[in-house]
């Protein structure tokens, strides 16, 4: 799903950035441009970033990344 139409950023892009160490909206803005133009995407992007940093999400991501 597109989160930032101004820069063509999807929820997957935001999750990927978070998995690679992005931990704040400021960093997300610098890396992907999220929230730097019209700002309508900021609250959704912040929620996805917060969700991606939760222990449950990290545990699931680690489990899926481990070979069977």
């Amino acid at each position: 799903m597109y989160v930032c139409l101004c820069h063509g950023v999807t929820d997957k892009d935001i999750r990927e950035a978070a998995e690679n160490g992005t931990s704040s909206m400021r960093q997300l803005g610098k890396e992907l441009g999220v929230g730097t133009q019209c700002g309508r995407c900021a609250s959704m992007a912040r929620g996805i970033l917060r969700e991606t940093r939760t222990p449950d999400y990290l545990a699931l991501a680690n489990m899926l990344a481990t070979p069977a």
Side-chain angles (χ1 to χ4, degrees):
M1 154 182 78
Y2 280 94
V3 175
C4 178
L5 295 177
C6 297
H7 295 283
V9 179
T10 65
D11 60 322
K12 183 178 177 181
D13 297 329
I14 296 170
R15 285 184 173 85
E16 204 170 281
E19 290 169 7
N20 291 326
T22 300
S23 60
S24 70
M25 281 299 293
R26 182 173 294 205
Q27 289 175 321
L28 202 57
K30 286 182 180 178
E31 290 181 30
L32 302 176
V34 173
T36 61
Q37 198 154 349
C38 77
R40 291 183 180 180
C41 61
S43 65
M44 175 68 77
R46 187 175 294 110
I48 293 169
L49 189 60
R50 189 176 299 134
E51 169 191 300
T52 306
R53 304 303 298 170
T54 62
D56 291 338
Y57 180 87
L58 295 173
L60 178 60
N62 288 332
M63 182 188 75
L64 294 174
T66 306

